[in-house]
Amino acid sequence: MNEKPTSQPPEAELARRRALRDRRTHELVELMARRRELTGINQWADHVIESVAWTA
């Protein structure tokens, strides 16, 4: 058996987590850019987005 259990995940798991984080960040940036393109089309949607942004 393993005599020294480690609390750190293996390097492969850390690499996988980094890749997922980078992908999620990229997707969020893309979503924000698409939302900017739609600003002004629906006044109520703009109002809701601004209200939510103020609470964040």
Side-chain angles (χ1 to χ4, degrees):
M1 295 218 17
N2 190 359
E3 294 176 7
K4 292 184 177 181
T6 61
S7 60
Q8 293 286 54
E11 190 62 35
E13 178 66 14
L14 291 174
R16 185 184 73 82
R17 289 180 186 180
R18 278 192 292 271
L20 287 174
R21 182 190 65 217
D22 292 345
R23 187 178 78 196
R24 289 183 190 126
T25 301
H26 175 72
E27 290 172 354
L28 180 59
V29 169
E30 289 292 319
L31 180 63
M32 291 170 63
R34 285 187 301 187
R35 192 208 110 11
R36 264 188 243 115
E37 294 172 3
L38 298 174
T39 300
I41 294 175
N42 185 320
Q43 292 178 354
W44 283 104
D46 293 343
H47 175 72
V48 169
I49 290 295
E50 289 173 14
S51 299
V52 170
W54 276 101
T55 62

